[in-house]
Amino acid sequence: MVLGLGMASCWGISMYYHDPASAQYGLAIPGILTLTIALILSVATRTKSPIDLSRRDGFGIVTFGWLFAALFGAAPFVWSGIIPNPIGAVFETMSGFTTTGASVMWGLDQAPKGLLLWRALTHFFGGMGVLVLCVAILPFLGVGGMQIFRAEMPGPSKDRLTPRIANTAKLLWGIYVALCLVEIVLLKIGGMSGFDAVCHSFATVATGGFSTRDASLGFYNSVYIEVVVTVFMFLAGINFSLHYRALRGNLQAFWKDSEFLVYLIIWALACTVMTLNLWHHTAPTLPSAIRAAFFTGTSVMTTTGFATADFDLWPAFSKLVLIVLMFVGGCAGSTSGGLKIIRIHILLKIALREIRLFLQPQAIVQVKVGKKPVEAGIVSGIAGFFVIYLLTFVAASALMCLFMPDLISAFTSVAATLGNIGPGLASVGPMLNYSQIPDAGLIVLTLCMLLGRLELYTALVILLPHFWKK
Amino acid sequence: MVLGLGMASCWGISMYYHDPASAQYGLAIPGILTLTIALILSVATRTKSPIDLSRRDGFGIVTFGWLFAALFGAAPFVWSGIIPNPIGAVFETMSGFTTTGASVMWGLDQAPKGLLLWRALTHFFGGMGVLVLCVAILPFLGVGGMQIFRAEMPGPSKDRLTPRIANTAKLLWGIYVALCLVEIVLLKIGGMSGFDAVCHSFATVATGGFSTRDASLGFYNSVYIEVVVTVFMFLAGINFSLHYRALRGNLQAFWKDSEFLVYLIIWALACTVMTLNLWHHTAPTLPSAIRAAFFTGTSVMTTTGFATADFDLWPAFSKLVLIVLMFVGGCAGSTSGGLKIIRIHILLKIALREIRLFLQPQAIVQVKVGKKPVEAGIVSGIAGFFVIYLLTFVAASALMCLFMPDLISAFTSVAATLGNIGPGLASVGPMLNYSQIPDAGLIVLTLCMLLGRLELYTALVILLPHFWKK
């Protein structure tokens, strides 16, 4: 129903901007159809008492929710003729809802406004879904160590889970919308058109990366805009529970959160070494190196994927740092993707523990985050998640090798979709896009985006016969 | 003392083949010096009662043993003027002793025979060292999960460790020498000169990869020779304890060993998919695809590194399979490098356990190898080892990006040295070598070879202040 209303609003915008008739029909008809189906389903499945969700319901709702959103959401692109290939359209929409930002569209600057807004709205809705998924659902499904956040859900604590999830979602969405609004105002002040400011804000706070310009944010060539977007990308990469606590007056929450501190350290370190590398090689001045490295570093680490520079032309060292950041990602409980800082943190602790045990074989060394020891089950869950993530990466890369001209294109197309970043390197670099990839390759990458967004297990579990039994 | 005697023997061979005087002096003088220093040290440190080794002694002996072997062993290359750059010579010698096979030498076909034999002997001695290290020392030092082999050491079980290590070493060395001799005879029958047969057998059974020809084994273009070498590379990639048990009549040992079965499955699968990929793209006929894929697949997986084809020109899919094999490596307790099959096996089990736990959150799932459950400490040791291996890979790749023209060269130069393979891809591909890399890069890669060979911890621990205290 939300999607149908979204399409209908975009139809309104489309009429306001006098888009071509194909675009207006392309939004109107799928919008009306989506709304009709939603109303029928809603009436048909109405119950009086609230329903308690089982784990299995959770998996199903989450995975099929994203899948159907991408299928329905793709209709306007196909219907309007903007992306005539349905597989390309589903890729684009999945990229939107998973807040990836990988695109098969060219000619954005001239594209109908209604469809550009719909594209940005897929990010906006996707980001809302991710928040409720990461903070309210995954910890209770026990996905890859995310149980660690079970106690940290903001909002009034209740006994029954369903109302608590609804409450948490509303709180986080409030923060999310507020961040969007503030960024819209700041971008407007910087001289961006209202329409572009809305679309780019949606893409920033959802850490998506769709732009309304073929040259992405490089189009504006404005330091002010880049600083604003960098700040909001950075904020969107932080656990939204921390924003909630900060808004309730507990500003110390940031400095007491070890995941945030690790995020800050990796971010500052990566951007600084890239600055030095760029200054030494390609950038004419230190300020221009700082500007390029911090914007791109933040964009890739938070898995947003906006571009102001063709980082595919950067020296190998900076490219390697960007690839590492693609795997690292932002904080858990944010809209970002990748492995997430909390997992990286615990993986590093696992390595450290082994070195300490090696020196003192008789010692009892616990993995701790902050000062709290982490349950052994969570630690091994994260190690298992890491292995499965790498296996998925290797398997999908092997498939992409069949469709891509070279290894770097194959590797980074998978890293950039599995981590929900958007642009990769070489033939999927920031100045190119995914339009030259054959359909079979687009299907692989569409699944990578879904798998990455749903933290692998949630989507993988649907494939197991066990899920369908009982 | 063994090195000194080795150099002296090569001096003899050098005189027999009438090598240039520079080569003869280059072997004679370092040989005499090494022997003299060895004799002085041996007399100065003589004790009456046998010494029991502590863990710390173990680390020291192993790490400094390899380091000093590379330093002393490099002298003939520098003295003879064959590799005038001492850093290049140490790289070459470390590559020999760690059974890597990465080279900075060109013009092998015309090189003095004495030095080619010395180069092959570094592999032979290195392989002997690896065997005693992997089967007799590492399990007792508790390195990265290798404790799993503690009970499996062949030979008469005694209470005291030192004589038991000596016994095990002698048994394994017997098998090692026997494999070498059989291969020499088989290669000689195939038409190889006696000298080349000896050098290539040393390089095969040690899974080293140094050839006496610039074109590596491609020089001979003989199916018979390639089959013989493939079989011996495959044998050298198996845990030598299994060979020992097989020789004692227990041929079932292979089929009962789950590590061997996983090795066989990964090998067969990787070679088969590469065959299909090559047949589809570049190879003119199926037999030529089988020949190229199985030889190269075995060479890379066992971390030998012989080449018969320029696999840098292969399609991306086959190159990806080769990169994966570089990380996988052969069985623990063999002369091969990489992560080792046993660790890959347990990492896969960790991933499987998480998926099972995800479906049945209340279940108690143990990681098992064969039918025996693996201690939790060993499982987490292997997870920690994996993280440290990847961290080392990323850190060294970042450094190599400063010295290499592109990412693939940087990545594969590190993968190929850390995994003790030899050739990588792009600018360190099988038809090129490491001679164009600046000194600083060679130092990084020399350390990678040492770290990889000593399973990281053993060498890393020397860097910690804790090691030097007490």
Side-chain angles (χ1 to χ4, degrees):
Chain A
M1 207 171 300
V2 171
L3 296 194
L5 291 173
M7 290 181 207
S9 323
C10 291
W11 175 30
I13 297 292
S14 200
M15 288 192 290
Y16 173 81
Y17 280 106
H18 303 294
D19 280 347
S22 62
Q24 298 192 20
Y25 283 116
L27 285 159
I29 297 167
I32 293 164
L33 276 176
T34 307
L35 267 178
T36 314
I37 295 171
L39 281 171
I40 293 170
L41 283 176
S42 147
V43 171
T45 59
R46 173 169 286 177
T47 53
K48 278 210 177 133
S49 55
I51 299 169
D52 262 331
L53 297 176
S54 72
R55 282 181 88 232
R56 208 161 138 240
D57 296 327
F59 302 139
I61 290 170
V62 166
T63 309
F64 290 112
W66 250 274
L67 210 56
F68 281 110
L71 292 176
F72 279 87
F77 295 115
V78 181
W79 213 291
S80 65
I82 289 289
I83 310 177
N85 173 12
I87 291 173
V90 170
F91 175 90
E92 190 85 10
T93 321
M94 186 63 94
S95 172
F97 283 121
T98 56
T99 79
T100 304
S103 180
V104 295
M105 273 179 80
W106 281 122
L108 297 172
D109 305 68
Q110 291 81 41
K113 292 270 191 284
L115 283 158
L116 286 179
L117 183 65
W118 172 239
R119 199 161 157 265
L121 265 183
T122 59
H123 273 343
F124 184 75
F125 292 148
M128 295 180 93
V130 172
L131 283 182
V132 66
L133 180 73
C134 290
V135 181
I137 300 180
L138 291 183
F140 290 88
L141 296 182
V143 169
M146 286 301 109
Q147 308 93 307
I148 204 167
F149 289 113
R150 226 173 248 178
E152 295 197 13
M153 196 194 280
S157 185
K158 290 254 176 68
D159 285 334
R160 292 186 55 253
L161 189 57
T162 321
R164 203 177 158 202
I165 288 180
N167 242 314
T168 304
K170 276 174 208 155
L171 290 171
L172 298 181
W173 290 346
I175 295 163
Y176 180 79
V177 172
L179 280 173
C180 273
L181 292 176
V182 175
E183 192 187 347
I184 291 170
V185 172
L186 289 175
L187 289 179
K188 193 87 186 54
I189 292 171
M192 213 184 250
S193 76
F195 181 80
D196 282 10
V198 169
C199 291
H200 283 108
S201 294
F202 285 177
T204 310
V205 180
T207 67
F210 279 154
S211 174
T212 54
R213 305 290 173 179
D214 281 339
S216 188
L217 278 179
F219 173 84
Y220 300 97
N221 193 19
S222 149
V223 176
Y224 170 83
I225 286 176
E226 287 170 31
V227 169
V228 169
V229 172
T230 302
V231 169
F232 280 84
M233 289 192 296
F234 187 82
L235 291 175
I238 299 170
N239 190 334
F240 273 56
S241 310
L242 288 182
H243 291 317
Y244 170 78
R245 273 183 257 163
L247 282 176
R248 296 197 41 156
N250 181 6
L251 279 167
Q252 296 289 311
F254 288 111
W255 306 110
K256 281 185 183 160
D257 186 72
S258 58
E259 187 184 20
F260 172 76
L261 294 177
V262 175
Y263 173 66
L264 190 67
I265 291 166
I266 295 179
W267 172 80
L269 200 69
C271 294
T272 306
V273 295
M274 283 199 295
T275 300
L276 296 175
N277 185 236
L278 288 181
W279 189 31
H280 187 254
H281 279 83
T282 47
T285 61
L286 182 58
S288 70
I290 293 176
R291 180 178 166 186
F294 276 76
F295 182 86
T296 307
T298 315
S299 173
V300 171
M301 183 173 179
T302 60
T303 73
T304 310
F306 282 137
T308 56
D310 187 358
F311 51 76
D312 190 47
L313 303 176
W314 285 8
F317 178 84
S318 291
K319 287 202 271 189
L320 178 129
V321 173
L322 290 176
I323 292 175
V324 171
L325 291 180
M326 285 186 189
F327 281 91
V328 170
C331 299
S334 74
T335 56
S336 70
L339 278 164
K340 310 274 182 321
I341 300 290
I342 184 75
R343 293 206 185 95
I344 298 290
H345 188 35
I346 288 178
L347 287 170
L348 292 175
K349 292 274 183 162
I350 291 174
L352 272 178
R353 177 179 62 181
E354 285 316 305
I355 290 176
R356 280 199 54 195
L357 275 177
F358 191 66
L359 289 170
Q360 301 162 299
Q362 309 308 328
I364 291 162
V365 188
Q366 273 185 312
V367 170
K368 287 180 188 174
V369 165
K371 272 162 193 167
K372 270 188 274 179
V374 182
E375 262 179 61
I378 292 178
V379 172
S380 67
I382 285 170
F385 183 87
F386 183 55
V387 174
I388 295 173
Y389 196 90
L390 290 182
L391 283 178
T392 312
F393 170 71
V394 169
S397 296
L399 287 175
M400 289 313 294
C401 277
L402 304 174
F403 312 116
M404 299 296 254
D406 63 291
L407 281 172
I408 292 290
S409 299
F411 282 136
T412 59
S413 69
V414 174
T417 48
L418 194 60
N420 300 122
I421 291 103
L425 295 171
S427 70
V428 291
M431 298 298 129
L432 299 165
N433 72 14
Y434 290 73
S435 54
Q436 84 294 356
I437 298 176
D439 285 354
L442 289 182
I443 293 174
V444 172
L445 295 179
T446 303
L447 290 176
C448 283
M449 294 192 274
L450 184 67
L451 282 170
R453 185 74 284 169
L454 303 186
E455 313 266 319
L456 302 178
Y457 293 95
T458 325
L460 283 175
V461 82
I462 303 290
L463 300 175
L464 297 170
H466 189 95
F467 176 80
W468 298 97
K469 275 183 203 157
K470 279 194 287 188
Chain B
M1 205 171 301
V2 171
L3 297 192
L5 290 173
M7 289 181 207
S9 323
C10 291
W11 175 30
I13 296 294
S14 199
M15 289 193 289
Y16 174 81
Y17 280 106
H18 302 295
D19 280 348
S22 61
Q24 298 193 20
Y25 283 115
L27 285 159
I29 296 167
I32 293 166
L33 277 176
T34 307
L35 267 178
T36 314
I37 294 173
L39 281 170
I40 294 171
L41 283 177
S42 148
V43 171
T45 59
R46 173 170 288 175
T47 53
K48 280 212 176 129
S49 54
I51 298 169
D52 264 331
L53 297 176
S54 72
R55 282 181 87 234
R56 208 164 136 240
D57 297 327
F59 302 138
I61 289 171
V62 166
T63 310
F64 290 112
W66 250 274
L67 209 57
F68 281 110
L71 293 176
F72 278 88
F77 295 115
V78 182
W79 213 290
S80 65
I82 290 287
I83 310 176
N85 174 11
I87 291 172
V90 171
F91 175 90
E92 191 85 9
T93 321
M94 186 63 93
S95 172
F97 284 121
T98 56
T99 79
T100 304
S103 180
V104 295
M105 274 179 80
W106 281 122
L108 296 173
D109 305 67
Q110 291 82 40
K113 292 270 192 287
L115 283 158
L116 286 179
L117 182 65
W118 172 239
R119 199 161 157 265
L121 265 184
T122 58
H123 272 345
F124 184 75
F125 292 147
M128 295 180 91
V130 173
L131 282 182
V132 66
L133 179 73
C134 291
V135 181
I137 299 181
L138 291 183
F140 290 88
L141 296 182
V143 169
M146 286 302 109
Q147 310 92 306
I148 204 167
F149 290 113
R150 224 173 252 178
E152 294 198 14
M153 192 194 284
S157 184
K158 291 252 176 72
D159 286 333
R160 292 184 55 253
L161 189 58
T162 320
R164 201 176 159 203
I165 288 179
N167 243 314
T168 305
K170 277 175 208 154
L171 290 171
L172 299 181
W173 289 346
I175 296 162
Y176 179 79
V177 171
L179 281 173
C180 273
L181 292 175
V182 175
E183 193 189 348
I184 291 171
V185 172
L186 289 175
L187 288 180
K188 192 86 187 53
I189 292 171
M192 212 184 251
S193 76
F195 181 80
D196 281 10
V198 168
C199 291
H200 283 107
S201 295
F202 286 177
T204 311
V205 180
T207 68
F210 278 154
S211 175
T212 55
R213 306 289 173 180
D214 281 340
S216 188
L217 279 179
F219 174 83
Y220 299 98
N221 194 19
S222 148
V223 175
Y224 171 83
I225 287 177
E226 286 170 32
V227 169
V228 169
V229 172
T230 303
V231 169
F232 279 85
M233 290 192 294
F234 187 82
L235 291 174
I238 299 171
N239 189 335
F240 273 56
S241 311
L242 288 182
H243 291 317
Y244 170 77
R245 272 183 258 164
L247 282 176
R248 296 197 42 153
N250 182 6
L251 279 167
Q252 297 288 313
F254 288 110
W255 306 110
K256 282 186 181 156
D257 186 71
S258 58
E259 186 183 20
F260 172 76
L261 294 177
V262 175
Y263 173 66
L264 190 67
I265 291 166
I266 295 179
W267 172 81
L269 201 70
C271 294
T272 306
V273 296
M274 283 198 295
T275 299
L276 296 174
N277 185 236
L278 288 181
W279 189 31
H280 187 255
H281 279 84
T282 49
T285 61
L286 180 59
S288 70
I290 292 176
R291 180 178 166 186
F294 276 76
F295 182 86
T296 306
T298 315
S299 174
V300 171
M301 182 174 179
T302 61
T303 74
T304 310
F306 281 138
T308 56
D310 187 359
F311 51 75
D312 190 47
L313 302 176
W314 285 8
F317 178 83
S318 290
K319 287 202 273 190
L320 178 129
V321 173
L322 290 176
I323 293 175
V324 172
L325 291 181
M326 285 186 189
F327 281 91
V328 171
C331 300
S334 74
T335 55
S336 69
L339 278 164
K340 310 275 181 322
I341 300 289
I342 185 74
R343 293 206 184 95
I344 298 291
H345 188 36
I346 289 178
L347 287 171
L348 292 175
K349 292 275 183 160
I350 292 174
L352 272 177
R353 177 179 63 182
E354 285 315 305
I355 291 176
R356 280 199 53 194
L357 275 177
F358 190 64
L359 289 170
Q360 301 162 300
Q362 308 307 326
I364 290 163
V365 188
Q366 272 187 312
V367 171
K368 286 180 188 176
V369 165
K371 272 163 193 166
K372 270 187 275 180
V374 181
E375 262 179 60
I378 292 179
V379 172
S380 67
I382 285 171
F385 183 87
F386 182 56
V387 174
I388 295 173
Y389 196 90
L390 290 182
L391 282 177
T392 311
F393 169 72
V394 169
S397 296
L399 287 175
M400 289 313 293
C401 277
L402 303 174
F403 311 117
M404 299 296 254
D406 62 292
L407 282 172
I408 292 289
S409 300
F411 282 136
T412 60
S413 69
V414 174
T417 48
L418 194 61
N420 300 122
I421 292 103
L425 294 171
S427 70
V428 290
M431 299 296 130
L432 299 166
N433 73 14
Y434 290 74
S435 53
Q436 83 294 356
I437 298 175
D439 285 353
L442 289 181
I443 293 173
V444 171
L445 295 179
T446 303
L447 290 176
C448 283
M449 293 192 274
L450 185 66
L451 282 170
R453 185 74 282 169
L454 303 186
E455 313 265 321
L456 301 178
Y457 292 96
T458 325
L460 283 176
V461 81
I462 303 290
L463 300 175
L464 298 169
H466 190 94
F467 176 81
W468 297 97
K469 274 184 203 157
K470 281 195 285 186

